[in-house]
Amino acid sequence: MLTTPPTSLYIHIPWCVKKCPYCDFNSHEQRGASQEAAYVEALLADLDADLEAFPWIRERRIQTVFFGGGTPSLFAPDSIARILDGARARLGFADICETTLETNPGTVEHGRFDGYARAGVNRISFGVQTFNNEKLKKLGRIHDADEARRAVAEAQDAGITEINIDLMYALPDQNIGEAVFDIEQALQLCPTHVSHYQLTLEPNTVFAAHPPRLPDDDCAWDMQEQCQSMLAAAGHPQYEVSAYAAGPHQCRHNLNYWRFGDYLGIGAGAHAKLTDVENQHILRPWKLKNPRAYLESAGKPSRLGATVWIEPEQRPFEFMLNALRLNEGFRTDQFEATTGLARAVIDEQLKQSLQNGWLQEIAAGHWRPTELGSRFLNDLIELFLP
């Protein structure tokens, strides 16, 4: 039987100064007059419409908030405050609510971080990607390494202690020494969290149409292993495929995703995952991607791109797609509570995973990927396809 999971709020800001050639997110270059004020009103109208469509959410307490994009730091602190104040007026918030703002170092201004802190932001995620200026140009980034260092320091000076630095590896023509250099530079800034992603060529991006020369798979794996060891030695153990932090500093918002929790999603192209406990349904609504269309439909049923119900036969795969990314793995009681299914429906897959050496049961009902399973994670997850 489904039970009520923790609930988060995701807020999408779709504009950037410049679209990066590797990016497949719903982001759009900002042209013409800013639509910031209108978009803030649209977000709150969207939230009102969601609460009317999914009224059981009103009873939840929001545990985490995440402003993603795009580049949310293009919006002024006062706008972020209006969004958060509006959300708090409509929903209950946890006493300690992790509130993250994604930012690019090239789009922040000196002194703005104290404004974001006053608005309620207590965690900043910096899209640094690399400290190599040549590589930054190849990635289409609008900042340089020194701007990244200054931005992190300014956020820390403003009293924001929870700092994530996003880094990418296996960049065009990158060698292991350059990947290691990025980790060394990041650690000098004393972040509490590091996200370390392999650059991949995603469909419908400039890089997919015009592929740069990337390191081969063996070289990329060597980069990951060496950087992972460095991060662990510096007190940032890996806890998810691309996430590194000590326990108190793990990203609670992303943990809720990976543990198959619920989240509301407002903004252009935002997705949500919602559990209707009374009717034993799990649904995934999402909003129109185009910012203009989203603004024109604010608060109306037409703001929804679609709503898909996750049928029982799909839930094991949906659950494992998230949970198996975590080093901690999952518990079978957690599986039962968030999918509404009995453990027996995955017994055959668990048995096959054991035989393949991809999963291990470290305690009664507690399963996690082995080192081999982590290397063949896609194959492991595919076992749970309907």
Side-chain angles (χ1 to χ4, degrees), residues 16-23 27 29 71 104-107 127-130 132-144 147 168 171-172 199 206-207 212:
C16 288
V17 173
K18 180 183 177 184
K19 179 82 170 180
C20 296
Y22 58 84
C23 178
S27 58
E29 291 188 13
T71 307
N104 289 332
T107 60
V128 175
Q129 314 312 354
T130 176
N132 181 311
N133 286 333
E134 179 185 348
K135 297 286 190 288
L136 284 168
K137 290 179 181 178
K138 289 184 178 180
L139 292 174
R141 306 298 285 172
I142 62 172
H143 68 274
D144 63 26
E147 284 179 302
M168 300 173 74
L171 304 179
L199 173 63
V206 173
F207 272 7

Side-chain angles (χ1 to χ4, degrees), residues 6 16 18 20 35 65 84 99 111 116 125 171 174 177 195 207 234 236 255 267 269 289 292 315 322 329 359 365 384:
C16 288
K18 180 183 177 184
C20 296
Q35 296 175 292
V65 178
L84 287 172
T99 304
Y116 290 127
S125 180
L171 304 179
Q174 188 180 44
S195 299
F207 272 7
H236 298 282
L255 280 172
K289 292 180 65 174
R292 179 180 297 176
R315 294 176 192 173
N322 294 278
L359 276 183
F384 296 90

Side-chain angles (χ1 to χ4, degrees), residues 250-294:
Q250 293 175 358
C251 179
R252 289 168 48 207
H253 187 87
N254 287 343
L255 280 172
N256 191 44
Y257 290 158
W258 296 322
R259 291 169 177 164
F260 212 46
D262 274 6
Y263 50 95
L264 274 168
I266 58 173
H271 285 236
K273 180 252 174 182
L274 303 170
T275 302
D276 179 356
V277 175
E278 182 178 351
N279 295 303
Q280 293 291 290
H281 292 155
I282 303 176
L283 52 150
R284 287 192 185 276
W286 66 86
K287 309 299 169 54
L288 295 176
K289 292 180 65 174
N290 182 275
R292 179 180 297 176
Y294 174 80

Side-chain angles (χ1 to χ4, degrees), residues 9-13 43 64-73 75 79-85 87 98-103 116 119-121 123 125 253 257 266:
L9 173 62
Y10 175 77
I11 303 165
H12 192 75
I13 311 292
L43 287 171
T64 66
V65 178
F66 197 102
F67 288 87
T71 307
S73 56
F75 277 27
S79 294
I80 300 300
R82 285 175 58 206
I83 297 166
L84 287 172
D85 289 346
E98 177 192 87
T99 304
T100 302
L101 181 82
E102 285 188 332
T103 182
Y116 290 127
V121 172
R123 186 176 184 272
S125 180
H253 187 87
Y257 290 158
I266 58 173

Side-chain angles (χ1 to χ4, degrees), residues 227 300 368 370:
C227 292
K300 303 173 185 175
R368 72 180 181 196
T370 63

Side-chain angles (χ1 to χ4, degrees), residues 198-264:
Q198 181 176 351
L199 173 63
T200 55
L201 304 184
E202 301 294 343
N204 303 315
T205 63
V206 173
F207 272 7
H210 307 283
R213 185 172 61 185
L214 302 181
D216 61 30
D217 289 343
D218 288 338
C219 183
W221 180 255
D222 290 341
M223 288 179 185
Q224 178 182 337
E225 284 199 312
Q226 189 157 340
C227 292
Q228 185 173 313
S229 296
M230 292 175 62
L231 287 164
H236 298 282
Q238 183 190 44
Y239 70 96
E240 186 269 344
V241 171
S242 303
Y244 299 80
H249 305 293
Q250 293 175 358
C251 179
R252 289 168 48 207
H253 187 87
N254 287 343
L255 280 172
N256 191 44
Y257 290 158
W258 296 322
R259 291 169 177 164
F260 212 46
D262 274 6
Y263 50 95
L264 274 168

